[in-house]
Amino acid sequence: EAAIDFYHDRMLSGDDAGAARRYIRGRGFDGDAVRRFRLGYSPDGWDTLARHLHAKRFSRDDLVAANLAYVNRANKLQDVFRNRLMFPIWDTRGDAVGFGARTLTGDDGPKYKNTAETPIYRKSSLLYGLNWAKGDIVARQEIVICEGYTDVMAFHLAGVTQAVATCGTALADDHFVQLKNLARRITLAYDSDAAGLAAADRCYQWEQRFEVQFQVADLPAGRDPGDLWPDDVDRITKSVESATPFLQFRLDRAIQAAGAQTIEDRSRRSE
């Protein structure tokens, strides 16, 4: 929580956070959204967060155990996250457990970097946004699962407040151990290609094992909910309302693939 506060304050008022603010504005999110989701900015200094938290009486062991800092070759603390847009992650009880961090330069490691596994952060069982969404999931008896943090933001701002996302990992059994007790209807809100690839191999197993029912949101090809915000908010909500049952989605994909193959074969024969 102390790290969230530090990063969030830096995002709102730091002179060095301009790139983070420009990026989030470029995605169509305003200051209210930044405050609602407590987005932050991690400074580019080697140990800016570590020095701040050390001054608040947090020990070296605390910072390392939380994967906020590590001990470098000079035996000094160094920040894990630097010059990144920070998405705080909470568990279902609302306790802060980690971060998803997006690079702002494109040349500083992976595009997204998540908190490593810690005693309180286990990505295979965490879902971003579940702390906000669980009440509406129960009320609507539906869970919408996205790929990214900004997808969850877009859904929630559009009124689809039962949306969550995995935290830098694929869906896993541990996710469904939690979700099956909240709702049994699962809507996958990935882009159309990713939905087939990510879900095809395991959806049937999950349906049988956890007694859940899958459907696929009707999103434009190659676009995710974060891309649709704020230009086409209606499409965000309608994508869930008009979701396709998973079996039908798979059949449609198979028919399309067979049709494409037939056309290709005809072309070859004509040559």
Side-chain angles (χ1 to χ4, degrees), residues 5-70:
D5 289 342
F6 173 78
Y7 290 143
H8 184 57
D9 289 344
R10 199 78 173 220
M11 177 73 171
L12 294 176
S13 58
D15 293 338
D16 56 351
R21 292 191 290 265
R22 286 191 296 273
Y23 172 81
I24 208 69
R25 282 197 300 267
R27 296 300 304 269
F29 300 107
D30 59 16
D32 289 340
V34 169
R35 293 176 178 87
R36 174 171 173 174
F37 298 99
R38 294 182 71 187
L39 303 187
Y41 170 72
S42 55
D44 198 25
W46 291 103
D47 61 352
T48 310
L49 176 70
R51 285 188 287 106
H52 171 80
L53 294 181
H54 183 68
K56 289 184 172 291
R57 308 289 186 180
F58 290 100
S59 72
R60 172 180 286 209
D61 290 344
D62 290 334
L63 301 186
V64 172
N67 194 230
L68 293 170
Y70 63 93

Side-chain angles (χ1 to χ4, degrees), residues 1-2 7 25 40 47 53 88 90 103 109-110 161 171 175 215-217 230 245 252 255 270:
E1 283 288 349
Y7 290 143
R25 282 197 300 267
D47 61 352
L53 294 181
W90 294 269
T103 183
T161 50
L171 282 170
H175 292 129
Q215 55 187 17
V216 179
D252 290 344
I255 291 169
S270 67

Side-chain angles (χ1 to χ4, degrees), residues 57-119:
R57 308 289 186 180
F58 290 100
S59 72
R60 172 180 286 209
D61 290 344
D62 290 334
L63 301 186
V64 172
N67 194 230
L68 293 170
Y70 63 93
V71 179
N72 63 22
R73 293 179 180 178
N75 198 33
K76 295 182 179 180
L77 284 180
Q78 188 168 319
D79 293 347
V80 168
F81 302 106
R82 298 173 53 225
N83 194 28
R84 287 177 177 266
L85 175 65
M86 305 298 291
F87 295 88
I89 298 170
W90 294 269
D91 64 15
T92 55
R93 297 171 300 183
D95 293 331
V97 294
F99 292 95
R102 190 193 191 283
T103 183
L104 294 166
T105 62
D107 57 1
D108 183 26
K111 180 178 178 181
Y112 276 95
K113 181 178 181 178
N114 280 65
T115 296
E117 295 285 303
T118 73

Side-chain angles (χ1 to χ4, degrees), residues 18 26 28 40 44-45 62 66 69 79 84 106 124 130 132 135 144 154 160 170-171 188 225 246 254 261:
D44 198 25
D62 290 334
D79 293 347
R84 287 177 177 266
S124 64
L130 187 56
W132 304 308
V144 177
V160 184
L171 282 170
L188 300 176
F246 186 72
Q261 184 64 45

Side-chain angles (χ1 to χ4, degrees), residues 136-155:
D136 288 331
I137 287 173
V138 173
R140 302 183 187 191
Q141 280 300 289
E142 179 186 33
I143 303 154
V144 177
I145 301 181
C146 316
E147 288 186 288
Y149 308 116
T150 54
D151 295 336
V152 171
M153 292 172 59
F155 267 127

